Coordinates of all heavy atoms in Angstrom, one line a residue:
R471 N -54.5 -78.3 -45.0 CA -55.2 -78.9 -46.1 C -54.3 -80.0 -46.7 O -54.7 -81.1 -47.0 CB -55.7 -77.9 -47.1 CG -56.7 -78.5 -48.1 CD -56.7 -77.6 -49.4 NE -57.0 -76.2 -49.1 CZ -58.2 -75.7 -49.2 NH1 -59.3 -76.5 -49.4 NH2 -58.4 -74.4 -49.0
E472 N -53.1 -79.5 -47.0 CA -52.1 -80.5 -47.6 C -51.8 -81.7 -46.6 O -51.7 -82.8 -47.2 CB -50.8 -79.7 -47.9 CG -50.9 -78.8 -49.0 CD -49.7 -78.0 -49.3 OE1 -49.0 -77.6 -48.4 OE2 -49.4 -77.8 -50.5
L473 N -51.6 -81.4 -45.3 CA -51.4 -82.5 -44.4 C -52.5 -83.6 -44.4 O -52.3 -84.8 -44.4 CB -51.2 -82.0 -43.0 CG -49.8 -81.4 -42.8 CD1 -49.8 -80.6 -41.4 CD2 -48.7 -82.4 -42.8
L474 N -53.8 -83.1 -44.5 CA -54.9 -84.0 -44.5 C -55.0 -84.7 -45.8 O -55.7 -85.8 -45.8 CB -56.2 -83.2 -44.2 CG -56.3 -82.5 -42.8 CD1 -57.7 -81.9 -42.6 CD2 -56.0 -83.5 -41.7
E475 N -54.4 -84.2 -46.8 CA -54.3 -84.9 -48.1 C -53.1 -85.8 -48.2 O -52.8 -86.4 -49.3 CB -54.3 -83.9 -49.3 CG -55.6 -83.1 -49.4 CD -55.5 -82.0 -50.4 OE1 -54.3 -81.7 -50.9 OE2 -56.5 -81.4 -50.7
G476 N -52.4 -86.0 -47.1 CA -51.2 -86.8 -47.1 C -50.0 -86.2 -47.7 O -49.0 -86.9 -48.0
K477 N -50.0 -84.9 -47.8 CA -48.8 -84.2 -48.4 C -48.0 -83.5 -47.3 O -48.6 -83.3 -46.3 CB -49.2 -83.2 -49.5 CG -50.1 -83.9 -50.6 CD -50.6 -82.8 -51.6 CE -51.5 -83.4 -52.6 NZ -52.1 -82.3 -53.5
E478 N -46.9 -83.0 -47.7 CA -46.1 -82.1 -46.8 C -46.5 -80.7 -47.0 O -46.8 -80.3 -48.2 CB -44.6 -82.4 -46.9 CG -44.1 -83.6 -46.2 CD -44.3 -83.5 -44.7 OE1 -43.7 -82.5 -44.1 OE2 -45.0 -84.3 -44.2
P479 N -46.4 -79.8 -46.0 CA -46.8 -78.4 -46.2 C -45.8 -77.7 -47.2 O -44.6 -78.0 -47.1 CB -46.6 -77.8 -44.8 CG -46.8 -79.0 -43.9 CD -46.2 -80.1 -44.6
T480 N -46.4 -76.8 -48.0 CA -45.5 -76.1 -48.9 C -45.8 -74.6 -48.9 O -45.1 -73.8 -49.5 CB -45.8 -76.5 -50.4 OG1 -47.2 -76.3 -50.7 CG2 -45.6 -78.0 -50.6
H481 N -46.8 -74.1 -48.2 CA -47.2 -72.7 -48.2 C -46.5 -71.9 -47.2 O -46.3 -72.3 -46.0 CB -48.7 -72.6 -48.0 CG -49.5 -73.1 -49.2 ND1 -49.8 -74.5 -49.3 CD2 -50.1 -72.5 -50.3 CE1 -50.5 -74.6 -50.4 NE2 -50.7 -73.5 -51.0
E482 N -46.0 -70.7 -47.6 CA -45.3 -69.8 -46.8 C -46.1 -68.5 -46.8 O -46.4 -67.9 -47.8 CB -43.9 -69.6 -47.3 CG -43.0 -70.8 -47.3 CD -41.6 -70.5 -47.8 OE1 -41.2 -69.3 -47.7 OE2 -41.0 -71.4 -48.4
A483 N -46.2 -67.9 -45.6 CA -46.8 -66.5 -45.5 C -45.8 -65.5 -46.0 O -44.6 -65.6 -45.8 CB -47.2 -66.2 -44.0
T484 N -46.4 -64.5 -46.6 CA -45.5 -63.4 -47.2 C -45.0 -62.5 -46.0 O -43.9 -61.9 -46.2 CB -46.3 -62.5 -48.2 OG1 -47.4 -62.0 -47.5 CG2 -46.7 -63.3 -49.4
W485 N -45.8 -62.4 -45.0 CA -45.4 -61.4 -43.9 C -45.4 -60.0 -44.4 O -44.7 -59.1 -43.9 CB -44.1 -61.8 -43.2 CG -44.1 -63.0 -42.3 CD1 -45.1 -63.9 -42.3 CD2 -43.2 -63.4 -41.4 NE1 -44.8 -64.9 -41.4 CE2 -43.6 -64.7 -40.8 CE3 -41.9 -62.9 -41.0 CZ2 -42.9 -65.4 -39.9 CZ3 -41.2 -63.6 -40.0 CH2 -41.7 -64.8 -39.5
N486 N -46.2 -59.7 -45.5 CA -46.4 -58.4 -45.9 C -47.1 -57.6 -44.8 O -47.9 -58.1 -44.1 CB -47.2 -58.3 -47.2 CG -46.3 -58.8 -48.4 OD1 -45.1 -58.8 -48.4 ND2 -47.0 -59.3 -49.4
A487 N -46.9 -56.3 -44.7 CA -47.5 -55.5 -43.7 C -48.1 -54.2 -44.3 O -47.6 -53.5 -45.2 CB -46.4 -55.0 -42.7
I488 N -49.4 -54.0 -43.9 CA -50.1 -52.8 -44.2 C -50.5 -52.1 -42.9 O -51.1 -52.8 -42.0 CB -51.4 -53.0 -45.0 CG1 -51.0 -53.8 -46.3 CG2 -52.1 -51.7 -45.3 CD1 -52.3 -54.2 -47.1
C489 N -50.1 -50.9 -42.6 CA -50.3 -50.3 -41.3 C -50.9 -48.9 -41.5 O -50.4 -48.1 -42.3 CB -49.0 -50.2 -40.5 SG -49.2 -49.6 -38.8
L490 N -51.9 -48.6 -40.7 CA -52.5 -47.3 -40.6 C -52.3 -46.7 -39.2 O -52.9 -47.3 -38.2 CB -54.0 -47.3 -41.0 CG -54.4 -47.9 -42.4 CD1 -55.9 -48.1 -42.4 CD2 -53.9 -47.0 -43.5
A491 N -51.6 -45.7 -39.0 CA -51.3 -45.0 -37.7 C -52.2 -43.8 -37.7 O -51.8 -42.8 -38.4 CB -49.9 -44.8 -37.5
D492 N -53.2 -43.8 -36.9 CA -54.1 -42.6 -36.9 C -53.6 -41.6 -35.9 O -53.3 -41.9 -34.7 CB -55.5 -43.1 -36.5 CG -56.5 -41.9 -36.3 OD1 -56.5 -41.0 -37.1 OD2 -57.1 -41.9 -35.2
F493 N -53.7 -40.3 -36.3 CA -53.3 -39.2 -35.4 C -54.5 -38.3 -35.0 O -54.3 -37.2 -34.4 CB -52.2 -38.3 -36.0 CG -50.9 -39.1 -36.3 CD1 -50.0 -38.6 -37.2 CD2 -50.7 -40.4 -35.7 CE1 -48.8 -39.3 -37.4 CE2 -49.5 -41.1 -36.0 CZ -48.6 -40.5 -36.9
G494 N -55.7 -38.7 -35.4 CA -56.9 -38.0 -35.0 C -57.2 -36.9 -36.1 O -58.4 -36.8 -36.4
D495 N -56.3 -36.2 -36.6 CA -56.5 -35.2 -37.6 C -55.7 -35.5 -38.8 O -55.5 -34.7 -39.7 CB -56.2 -33.8 -37.1 CG -54.9 -33.7 -36.4 OD1 -54.1 -34.7 -36.5 OD2 -54.5 -32.6 -35.9
G496 N -55.1 -36.7 -38.9 CA -54.2 -37.1 -40.0 C -53.7 -38.5 -39.7 O -54.4 -39.3 -39.0
G497 N -52.5 -38.8 -40.2 CA -51.9 -40.1 -39.8 C -50.8 -40.4 -40.8 O -50.6 -39.7 -41.8
V498 N -50.2 -41.6 -40.5 CA -49.2 -42.1 -41.4 C -49.5 -43.5 -41.8 O -49.9 -44.3 -40.9 CB -47.8 -42.1 -40.7 CG1 -46.8 -42.9 -41.5 CG2 -47.3 -40.6 -40.5
A499 N -49.4 -43.9 -43.0 CA -49.6 -45.3 -43.5 C -48.3 -45.8 -44.1 O -47.5 -45.0 -44.7 CB -50.7 -45.2 -44.5
F500 N -48.1 -47.1 -44.0 CA -47.0 -47.7 -44.8 C -47.4 -49.1 -45.2 O -48.2 -49.8 -44.7 CB -45.8 -47.7 -43.9 CG -45.7 -48.5 -42.7 CD1 -45.6 -49.9 -42.8 CD2 -45.8 -48.0 -41.5 CE1 -45.5 -50.7 -41.7 CE2 -45.8 -48.7 -40.3 CZ -45.7 -50.1 -40.4
I501 N -46.7 -49.5 -46.3 CA -46.7 -50.8 -46.8 C -45.3 -51.3 -46.9 O -44.4 -50.7 -47.5 CB -47.4 -50.9 -48.2 CG1 -48.8 -50.5 -48.2 CG2 -47.3 -52.3 -48.8 CD1 -49.5 -50.5 -49.5
A502 N -45.0 -52.5 -46.2 CA -43.8 -53.1 -46.2 C -43.9 -54.5 -46.8 O -44.6 -55.4 -46.2 CB -43.2 -53.1 -44.8
K503 N -43.2 -54.8 -47.9 CA -43.4 -56.1 -48.6 C -41.9 -56.7 -48.8 O -41.3 -56.3 -49.7 CB -44.1 -56.0 -49.9 CG -45.5 -55.5 -49.8 CD -46.1 -55.2 -51.2 CE -45.8 -56.2 -52.3 NZ -46.3 -55.8 -53.6
P504 N -41.5 -57.7 -47.9 CA -42.2 -58.1 -46.7 C -41.9 -57.2 -45.5 O -41.2 -56.2 -45.7 CB -41.5 -59.5 -46.5 CG -40.1 -59.3 -47.0 CD -40.3 -58.4 -48.2
Q505 N -42.5 -57.6 -44.4 CA -42.3 -56.7 -43.2 C -40.8 -56.6 -42.8 O -40.4 -55.6 -42.4 CB -43.2 -57.2 -42.0 CG -43.0 -56.4 -40.8 CD -44.2 -56.5 -39.9 OE1 -45.4 -56.3 -40.3 NE2 -44.0 -56.7 -38.6
I506 N -40.1 -57.7 -42.9 CA -38.7 -57.8 -42.5 C -37.8 -57.4 -43.7 O -38.0 -58.0 -44.7 CB -38.3 -59.2 -42.0 CG1 -39.3 -59.7 -41.0 CG2 -36.9 -59.2 -41.4 CD1 -39.5 -58.9 -39.7
P507 N -36.9 -56.4 -43.5 CA -36.1 -56.0 -44.7 C -35.0 -57.1 -45.0 O -34.7 -57.9 -44.1 CB -35.4 -54.7 -44.2 CG -35.5 -54.8 -42.7 CD -36.7 -55.6 -42.3
P508 N -34.4 -57.1 -46.2 CA -34.7 -56.2 -47.3 C -36.1 -56.4 -47.9 O -36.6 -57.5 -47.9 CB -33.6 -56.5 -48.3 CG -33.2 -57.9 -48.0 CD -33.4 -58.1 -46.6
R509 N -36.6 -55.4 -48.6 CA -38.0 -55.4 -49.0 C -38.1 -55.2 -50.5 O -37.3 -54.5 -51.1 CB -38.8 -54.3 -48.3 CG -38.8 -54.4 -46.8 CD -39.7 -53.4 -46.2 NE -39.7 -53.5 -44.7 CZ -39.0 -52.7 -43.9 NH1 -38.4 -51.7 -44.4 NH2 -39.0 -52.9 -42.6
N510 N -39.2 -55.7 -51.1 CA -39.6 -55.5 -52.4 C -40.3 -54.1 -52.6 O -40.3 -53.5 -53.6 CB -40.4 -56.6 -53.0 CG -39.7 -57.9 -53.0 OD1 -38.5 -57.9 -53.5 ND2 -40.3 -58.9 -52.6
T511 N -41.1 -53.8 -51.5 CA -41.8 -52.5 -51.5 C -41.6 -51.9 -50.1 O -41.7 -52.6 -49.1 CB -43.3 -52.7 -51.7 OG1 -43.6 -53.3 -53.0 CG2 -44.1 -51.3 -51.6
N512 N -41.2 -50.6 -50.1 CA -40.9 -49.9 -48.9 C -41.5 -48.5 -48.9 O -40.8 -47.5 -49.3 CB -39.3 -49.8 -48.7 CG -38.9 -49.4 -47.4 OD1 -39.4 -49.8 -46.4 ND2 -37.9 -48.5 -47.4
W513 N -42.8 -48.4 -48.6 CA -43.5 -47.2 -48.9 C -44.2 -46.6 -47.7 O -44.7 -47.4 -46.9 CB -44.6 -47.5 -50.0 CG -45.6 -46.4 -50.3 CD1 -45.4 -45.3 -51.2 CD2 -46.9 -46.2 -49.7 NE1 -46.5 -44.5 -51.2 CE2 -47.4 -45.0 -50.3 CE3 -47.6 -46.9 -48.7 CZ2 -48.6 -44.6 -49.9 CZ3 -48.8 -46.4 -48.4 CH2 -49.4 -45.2 -49.0
S514 N -44.2 -45.3 -47.5 CA -45.0 -44.7 -46.5 C -45.5 -43.3 -47.0 O -45.0 -42.7 -47.9 CB -44.1 -44.4 -45.3 OG -43.0 -43.6 -45.6
S515 N -46.6 -42.9 -46.4 CA -47.3 -41.6 -46.8 C -48.0 -41.1 -45.6 O -48.2 -41.8 -44.6 CB -48.2 -41.9 -48.0 OG -48.8 -40.6 -48.4
E516 N -48.6 -39.9 -45.7 CA -49.3 -39.3 -44.6 C -50.4 -38.4 -45.1 O -50.5 -38.1 -46.3 CB -48.4 -38.3 -43.8 CG -47.8 -37.1 -44.6 CD -46.9 -36.2 -43.7 OE1 -47.1 -36.2 -42.5 OE2 -46.0 -35.6 -44.3
G517 N -51.4 -38.1 -44.3 CA -52.4 -37.2 -44.7 C -53.7 -37.5 -43.9 O -53.8 -38.5 -43.2
R518 N -54.8 -36.7 -44.0 CA -56.0 -36.9 -43.3 C -56.7 -38.1 -43.8 O -57.5 -38.8 -43.0 CB -56.9 -35.7 -43.6 CG -58.3 -35.8 -42.8 CD -59.0 -34.6 -42.8 NE -60.4 -34.8 -42.3 CZ -60.6 -35.0 -41.0 NH1 -59.7 -35.0 -40.1 NH2 -61.9 -35.2 -40.5
W519 N -56.4 -38.6 -45.0 CA -57.0 -39.8 -45.5 C -56.8 -41.0 -44.6 O -57.6 -42.0 -44.5 CB -56.6 -40.1 -47.0 CG -55.1 -40.5 -47.1 CD1 -54.1 -39.6 -47.3 CD2 -54.6 -41.8 -47.1 NE1 -52.9 -40.3 -47.4 CE2 -53.2 -41.7 -47.2 CE3 -55.2 -43.1 -46.9 CZ2 -52.4 -42.8 -47.2 CZ3 -54.3 -44.2 -46.9 CH2 -52.9 -44.0 -47.1
V520 N -55.6 -41.0 -43.9 CA -55.2 -42.1 -43.1 C -56.2 -42.3 -41.9 O -56.7 -43.4 -41.5 CB -53.8 -42.0 -42.5 CG1 -53.5 -43.2 -41.6 CG2 -52.8 -41.9 -43.7
H521 N -56.6 -41.1 -41.3 CA -57.6 -41.1 -40.2 C -58.9 -41.7 -40.7 O -59.5 -42.6 -40.0 CB -57.8 -39.7 -39.7 CG -58.9 -39.5 -38.8 ND1 -58.9 -40.1 -37.5 CD2 -60.1 -38.8 -38.9 CE1 -60.0 -39.8 -36.9 NE2 -60.8 -39.0 -37.7
L522 N -59.3 -41.3 -41.9 CA -60.6 -41.8 -42.4 C -60.5 -43.2 -42.8 O -61.5 -44.0 -42.6 CB -61.0 -40.9 -43.6 CG -61.2 -39.4 -43.4 CD1 -61.4 -38.7 -44.7 CD2 -62.3 -39.2 -42.4
A523 N -59.4 -43.7 -43.3 CA -59.2 -45.1 -43.6 C -59.2 -45.9 -42.4 O -59.7 -47.1 -42.4 CB -57.9 -45.2 -44.4
K524 N -58.6 -45.5 -41.3 CA -58.6 -46.2 -40.1 C -60.0 -46.4 -39.5 O -60.4 -47.5 -39.0 CB -57.7 -45.5 -39.0 CG -57.5 -46.3 -37.7 CD -56.7 -47.5 -37.9 CE -56.4 -48.2 -36.5 NZ -55.3 -47.5 -35.7
I525 N -60.8 -45.4 -39.6 CA -62.2 -45.5 -39.2 C -62.9 -46.6 -40.0 O -63.7 -47.4 -39.5 CB -63.0 -44.2 -39.2 CG1 -62.4 -43.2 -38.2 CG2 -64.4 -44.3 -39.0 CD1 -62.9 -41.8 -38.4

Side-chain angles (χ1 to χ4, degrees):
R471 193 202 303 268
E472 289 179 318
L473 285 168
L474 296 188
E475 293 172 352
K477 304 174 184 176
E478 280 298 299
T480 62
H481 291 82
E482 300 177 25
T484 57
W485 289 12
N486 289 335
I488 304 173
C489 185
L490 301 171
D492 172 48
F493 298 163
D495 52 2
V498 170
F500 66 77
I501 296 176
K503 297 170 46 183
Q505 180 155 312
I506 311 301
R509 304 184 178 104
N510 296 313
T511 299
N512 191 44
W513 173 87
S514 60
S515 184
E516 63 178 334
R518 180 167 174 74
W519 68 270
V520 179
H521 170 66
L522 300 174
K524 184 72 176 278
I525 294 172

